[in-house]
Amino acid sequence: MAPMKIGIIGAGVISEQYLENLTKAKAVSVEMIADLDISRSEQRATQYGITSFGTPEELLARDDIELIVNLTIPKAHEQVTVAALKAGKHIHLDKPGAEKHADFVALRRYAAEKGLTVQMGYMLRYNPAIRLLFRAVKECWLGDVMEIDASMGKLLDEAGRKRFAQIPGGGMYELACHLVDTVVTLMGPPLSVQAFGNATRAPQDTFVDNQLAVLTYPKATVTIRCNHADPFGGPNRTLTVRGTKGDMEIRPLESGKGVLRLDEPRDTAKVCRQVGDKMVMFAEPRFKKGENTFAVDVPKGRYDEEFRDLHRVLVNGAPFAWSADHDISVHATALRAAGLTP
């Protein structure tokens, strides 16, 4: 598999998490990193053995780089993405995509017109346990979904609180949009969204660090929480879906571990067993009636599967599973969940 040549724009905090994965990934070759602050791009290039660094303009001028990974801050997402699209580059765009919904809609439509792929950085899409949940709901293992309860927070240090306080919508928009993408994948656009928030350190600190969104559907309700004051925010990340025939809980969220309860056996597989002196094929369910605990293997690289998928799409011509319409719906819902107007 020949790797895609990629360039990264944005050498800030999140770039370290990406570069830890991407510089080891087989699907991509990081050719250059760029930032408005040249010293930061040089620092990251030295840190991760990237051969070239420079400005965003210098990166976009390179004909050999086909994919741009946009890791800039949210208020710069739209400007950098549009510039990359005009340069004919495919995009991996870190969530949430743009501060203004009209800007996000415009860049997604523009990419479609140019025949360019935009992959949003919603990593939960590729988590094996989440994909098992997608299958369970699609194949009606759980019956009609009645409830979804989800939480994705983390304890922020003082620098993190200051950074998130500058983002419209705070953590619900910047972080819990991962959960919004998961919910919209499962359920489609909601009928209504109500947003709630508290500043746990008020009045000294007015950053709204404890947020809740309630989404309604014709037969279901959804709660999404984002708590940046929780000292155990990581372990408390969870996703539970309850239906008329079963339920599934994933906890912690990215662990690949969970519980699946079913009213009948599901996912029948063929198993070969020896009976006397013969090998006989049996059909056995992977998940029995009642309670099943599961643990699926999670790739070591947090972003590996995202970029393998991009390789399948851009190099092998495979269809991309998430449309512009889906991403636009997620963006609008994430804004509403954070108490903002699309």
Side-chain angles (χ1 to χ4, degrees):
M1 177 173 67
M4 296 182 296
K5 292 184 177 182
I6 71 171
I8 294 174
I9 298 180
V13 176
I14 191 64
S15 68
E16 286 195 277
Q17 294 183 32
Y18 270 81
L19 288 168
E20 282 291 338
N21 285 177
L22 297 185
T23 52
K24 302 169 186 174
K26 295 180 180 179
V28 299
S29 172
V30 182
E31 300 292 315
M32 182 175 178
I33 184 166
D35 196 282
L36 291 175
D37 183 342
I38 299 296
S39 64
R40 290 207 305 181
S41 60
E42 181 179 13
Q43 177 188 356
R44 289 285 186 259
T46 301
Q47 183 180 357
Y48 290 99
I50 302 168
T51 57
S52 182
F53 65 90
T55 66
E57 292 77 13
E58 290 169 336
L59 171 52
L60 295 180
R62 288 186 53 165
D63 293 332
D64 61 323
I65 292 176
E66 56 188 312
L67 173 71
I68 298 298
V69 181
N70 183 353
L71 303 180
T72 57
I73 58 177
K75 69 179 181 181
H77 281 177
E78 183 265 344
Q79 180 181 358
V80 170
T81 297
V82 170
L85 292 171
K86 287 182 176 179
K89 311 297 187 184
H90 302 287
I91 302 290
H92 172 91
L93 175 55
D94 191 25
K95 44 71 186 170
E99 288 191 343
K100 296 181 180 179
H101 187 58
D103 291 340
F104 184 77
V105 173
L107 73 85
R108 290 299 275 115
R109 297 302 185 208
Y110 181 65
E113 290 172 8
K114 299 239 334 179
L116 295 169
T117 295
V118 175
Q119 180 193 57
M120 293 300 300
Y122 292 126
M123 61 194 178
L124 294 182
R125 294 174 172 180
Y126 297 96
N127 180 278
I130 302 292
R131 294 178 78 87
L132 177 62
L133 173 62
F134 289 163
R135 182 185 172 199
V137 171
K138 182 179 180 180
E139 296 181 9
C140 297
W141 296 2
L142 310 183
D144 294 330
V145 174
M146 300 181 295
E147 302 175 15
I148 299 178
D149 295 312
S151 178
M152 192 172 190
K154 63 180 178 181
L155 182 64
L156 293 177
D157 59 18
E158 294 305 316
R161 291 179 67 88
K162 290 179 181 178
R163 182 168 64 90
F164 271 72
Q166 296 173 0
I167 300 172
M172 180 63 78
Y173 183 54
E174 201 276 345
L175 179 63
C177 56
H178 286 294
L179 293 173
V180 173
D181 178 65
T182 300
V183 169
V184 173
T185 299
L186 290 168
M187 305 290 290
L191 295 177
S192 68
V193 181
Q194 290 180 284
F196 306 87
N198 292 310
T200 64
R201 295 188 186 178
Q204 294 84 3
D205 182 346
T206 58
F207 168 50
V208 179
D209 54 7
N210 187 12
Q211 295 170 281
L212 165 69
V214 179
L215 288 60
T216 64
Y217 289 86
K219 296 182 180 180
T221 54
V222 176
T223 63
I224 298 175
R225 295 183 181 275
C226 185
N227 187 340
H228 283 312
D230 181 1
F232 301 101
N236 284 335
R237 293 184 179 189
T238 185
L239 173 61
T240 302
V241 178
R242 299 180 183 90
T244 55
K245 295 183 178 181
D247 62 69
M248 182 170 173
E249 179 183 18
I250 301 170
R251 187 185 194 101
L253 189 58
E254 295 179 69
S255 68
K257 299 177 181 179
V259 177
L260 176 61
R261 300 178 184 89
L262 299 167
D263 72 342
E264 62 179 89
R266 296 286 185 176
D267 197 17
T268 300
K270 292 182 178 179
V271 178
C272 192
R273 298 190 184 281
Q274 187 165 357
V275 179
D277 60 352
K278 296 181 179 181
M279 298 300 293
V280 180
M281 194 72 70
F282 293 90
E284 294 185 356
R286 180 183 176 194
F287 301 108
K288 68 181 187 300
K289 178 181 178 179
E291 183 169 298
N292 302 264
T293 58
F294 64 85
V296 292
D297 291 334
V298 177
K300 292 182 179 179
R302 196 180 200 185
Y303 308 107
D304 285 358
E305 188 54 36
E306 291 180 70
F307 286 88
R308 278 195 287 266
D309 191 33
L310 267 180
H311 190 280
R312 287 189 287 266
V313 171
L314 300 181
V315 177
N316 300 335
F320 194 56
W322 286 273
S323 67
D325 287 341
H326 170 85
D327 288 345
I328 288 168
S329 177
V330 170
H331 192 265
T333 306
L335 285 168
R336 293 188 178 100
L340 304 173
T341 301

